[in-house]
Every structure is written in structure tokens, then in C-alpha cells.
Amino acid sequence: SQKIEQNSEALNIQEGKTATLTCNYTNYSPAYLQWYRQDPGRGPVFLLLIRENEKEKRKERLKVTFDTTLKQSLFHITASQPADSATYLCAIRGSTLGRLYFGRGTQLTVWP
Amino acid sequence: EAGVAQSPRYKIIEKRQSVAFWCNPISGHATLYWYQQILGQGPKLLIQFQNNGVVDDSQLPKDRFSAERLKGVDSTLKIQPAKLEDSAVYLCASSLSLLAGVRTDTQYFGPGTRLTVL
């Protein structure tokens, strides 16, 4: 069966450190993978997209890697801040038109 | 630019009652999505429209859920009759288009409607 697993339901780190979140998938052939941020009581907000033929993408303090051999994406937040505290969702779009499959998310808490 | 609007924000009903949710996507967005997010889980796609046509409704429990997007703009999601397990947040999202060859659309989500079924 198809699965998207985001390791660690919760991750707690100190301000200034790098947060690394993991997304593993099985039985998907993703065209691309996306990362979203979700704050309590709000809808997800798109952060980054990485295609199947890309290894790494960066945006300001965010970095995403994508290893289709390992079937894994890593999401990094460098110089983390308390404002980065939120749930981060990994989502995969397969070869079929349109459908996005979401993982259950990792709740990140950055403490001062 | 206005975001995706949803109403109501909260709804409490008893099981076997009916409920409807409304969504107004970002202006000009051809694709509209309804997701169900149960507490502690990621969003699960219920139905996807391209303009006013259904692209994917394979995960929609059609015996009780229905959705429409008349005129290709606003959309309504209805549950009739509701069950306890329908308690969740219902998210609406929109994106520019899902035409063949456009594979990098970004989805913009509304704030969601939190449904509690007692």
C-alpha cells in the first residue's frame, strides 16, 4: 500500500539550531514533492517544491533535498526561530493528474 | 490579493443532520479542491474540480457527501446525513490550473471549517 511517513510526530529544538524533518514514502512515483507549513486553526501554506529530477532546493533559511533512490525528502530550517514553530507537512504529487497526498506532519517547536 | 474564503468557520451538529460548507477560491483560479483533515492527520483530498467539471472524486463518500461548483467559481460541499466520524476540518484550496503539462501548481488553502458531529 502507499504510505507517506513523516518521522517524529514532534521535534523540539533550541533557537538558532538547524531543524531537520524527514519524509519517507513507499509505493509512489512522485512527479514532485512539496512542503507546507500549517499553524493551529489555519490552512496549510506552501513553502517549497522539488521535482523528481532535482536534488536540492533552497529558499532563504529553508532547504529541501529529494532522494528518489532512498524515497526520502529532508526539510531543513537553518538558524531556527520561535516563529518557525508550526506543523510541517510533506505532500507528494504522483504521475496521475492533480491528486496531492499528504503525510500527517511533524510538529516543530523552537524554544528560546 | 484576497485569499481563499470559507464559511462557516465552525459548525456543530448532531449525527444524522445535514451541513453545508461554502468556498470562494482566489479569483482566476480554475482548479478547486476540498480536503478533509482529521485531527492529527494530513489533509485528504475529497474532490477536485477543474472549472465546473469534476477531475477526481474517488475518495468522496458519495452516499453522504456531495459537492458542486456551479459556474466554475464558488463551491459547496454538503454532508447528508452526518456521522460521528465526519468530525474534522474541511479545507478548500485553489490553484491556477491543472491543464496537461502544468505540473507545478501551488495550492492555496482557506482557513477551513471545523465540523463537530455530536
Side-chain angles (χ1 to χ4, degrees), chain A:
Chain A
S1 63
Q2 294 176 317
K3 280 185 184 178
I4 300 173
E5 293 180 331
Q6 292 193 242
N7 295 9
S8 303
E9 286 191 10
L11 179 64
N12 300 305
I13 65 167
Q14 188 176 20
E15 183 176 9
K17 303 290 186 185
T18 296
T20 298
L21 286 65
T22 305
C23 175
N24 294 292
Y25 59 91
T26 54
N27 295 323
Y28 285 99
S29 297
Y32 58 79
L33 188 146
Q34 296 180 337
W35 284 88
Y36 286 79
R37 169 182 173 142
Q38 187 171 25
D39 291 283
R42 299 196 172 197
V45 175
F46 170 78
L47 296 175
L48 278 170
L49 176 153
I50 186 164
R51 293 185 174 88
E52 58 183 329
N53 59 351
E54 296 176 320
K55 296 293 185 186
E56 182 179 299
K57 259 304 188 42
R58 290 176 186 261
K59 178 182 175 183
E60 298 173 350
R61 295 184 297 111
L62 308 179
K63 184 178 86 169
V64 174
T65 63
F66 195 10
D67 188 326
T68 54
T69 301
L70 290 178
K71 298 186 186 299
Q72 181 182 79
S73 174
L74 298 179
F75 177 78
H76 306 272
I77 306 175
T78 58
S80 58
Q81 305 166 0
D84 295 325
S85 298
T87 296
Y88 291 86
L89 299 161
C90 160
I92 286 172
R93 169 155 288 161
S95 56
T96 54
L97 197 66
R99 175 176 284 271
L100 259 188
Y101 296 89
F102 283 85
R104 61 174 53 227
T106 296
Q107 185 174 350
L108 173 67
T109 301
V110 181
W111 44 279

Side-chain angles (χ1 to χ4, degrees), chain A residues 30-32 34 36 38 41-46 49 51-52 89 93-95 97-105, chain B residues 9 33 35 37 40-43 45-46 48 55-56 58-59 91 98-100 103-107 109-111 114:
Chain A
Y32 58 79
Q34 296 180 337
Y36 286 79
Q38 187 171 25
R42 299 196 172 197
V45 175
F46 170 78
L49 176 153
R51 293 185 174 88
E52 58 183 329
L89 299 161
R93 169 155 288 161
S95 56
L97 197 66
R99 175 176 284 271
L100 259 188
Y101 296 89
F102 283 85
R104 61 174 53 227
Chain B
R9 289 297 313 277
Y33 313 78
Y35 289 87
Q37 186 173 25
Q41 297 184 20
L45 182 71
L46 293 175
Q48 177 181 323
V55 173
D56 184 347
S58 57
Q59 299 296 300
L91 294 163
L98 205 56
L99 298 175
R103 303 180 70 192
T104 59
D105 65 307
T106 296
Q107 295 188 21
F109 285 81
R114 181 175 296 278

Side-chain angles (χ1 to χ4, degrees), chain B residues 69-88:
Chain B
R69 191 183 183 198
L70 300 176
K71 301 180 183 178
V73 181
D74 293 4
S75 178
T76 303
L77 176 69
K78 296 179 182 177
I79 307 175
Q80 180 181 7
K83 292 186 176 181
L84 296 177
E85 59 261 35
D86 298 331
S87 294

